Amino acid sequence: MKIRTITTGISLSSLKEIDKIRQASEFNQQAKLIIEEQGYEVQTTRIATNSWEEYLDGLSQIEILKEVKILEEVCQNLNISFFSLGYASQPETIALIPEIIKNTSIFYSSSKIGDRAGINFENAKESAKVIQQISQYQHGYGNFHFCAWANCQSGIPFFPTAYHQGETSFAIGLELCDLVMQAFSDADDILDAEEKLKLILDKELRKIEATARTISAKLKIEYQGIDTSLAPSLGKQESIAYAYEKIMNGKFGNQGTLAISGMLTRVLKSVSVKTCGYSGLMLPVCEDVGLAARANEQTYNITNLLAYSAVCGCGLDTVPIPGDITIEKITAILIDMATLAIKLDKPLSARLFPIPGKKAGEMTAFDSPYLVDCKIFNVE
């Protein structure tokens, strides 16, 4: 098991509060060292803020871009590589996100398109425009830095959804695919797999939590919990898709996939530690070699992924779609996701990758160490 991220959340009222950013960075480095002393690999440390609408309020587009460039220089001087600006919740600010992402390299942001009060259809359409515009950057994977979400609360440690509210605190995101593979490889059936996985996770996560509480007490920063979501691994032996196939008669996407997805979520939400964030099943197509391989074989599609989200997951993540997809179709996908989130009262997000110049069935050609190439999904 690896620690995918230690994410510290801070609230800013202006970008002049450099000390808060510096203190968060120092905390992350100290926390990282303490966890590594326990034998764990910490892949990243991250900082997330409150909605950037709150601390960049009243500035023009030119002024906002100037400020975020200055902020990025500050972050880079502090060796910060992952920084979430939080979310935008107004059409006019959502529309500015492409320029922020285009002109920076370490910033992530998101848009809020729904909550328990309902879906904001104007925000959904503006977010679709943003997704299409950002797709022109970085060979189609500029949207790695952006998602649209519904019903997501503060404290999620995973990017790009992460945002913060309140006093400074930290949360931990894990990479658990190796433990799932271990449990499923030794299991006789789905019931046995559920029992074995619960025992393994309870044991391992209690160790992490004990360390996190020690960090909180020693460094005087509130501990929010562990996001138990099954973040992906690019390692072939740790693919979540291949773990599924250890206990099902067929390939990921075939009959039985939905049942296993539901079982995994029951386990992730029942572990005996303080949880936060999604604490659900992530199925990021382009971040998992097994999911990418099965996408190439067309054993599942976007509709299937939405169905799996109904019983488990975090939504649609790193899903490649045709570059010529219309704004209307992207909007419809986002609204479907938001409808599920609100109806089921769960956090869901959508990170979609329109690939410029390519159609369904063609291969992506990412130039990123974080992504796996696969065939582009058909969107009817």
Side-chain angles (χ1 to χ4, degrees), residues 364-379:
T364 62
F366 298 128
D367 181 23
S368 169
Y370 304 113
L371 297 171
V372 182
D373 286 314
C374 77
K375 287 184 180 179
I376 296 167
F377 281 63
N378 186 39
V379 181

Side-chain angles (χ1 to χ4, degrees), residues 52-53 88-98 111-113 120-127 129-130:
W52 58 273
E53 292 174 342
S89 61
Q90 305 295 325
E92 58 270 22
T93 46
I94 293 172
L96 298 180
I97 292 176
S111 65
K112 177 181 178 180
I113 65 172
N120 187 317
F121 291 91
E122 189 175 2
N123 280 3
K125 185 171 183 178
E126 193 62 51
S127 298
K129 293 177 183 177
V130 164

Side-chain angles (χ1 to χ4, degrees), residues 82-106:
F82 294 86
F83 193 101
S84 171
L85 298 169
Y87 67 89
S89 61
Q90 305 295 325
E92 58 270 22
T93 46
I94 293 172
L96 298 180
I97 292 176
E99 285 300 307
I100 292 174
I101 291 176
K102 179 181 179 181
N103 288 283
T104 61
S105 61
I106 69 167

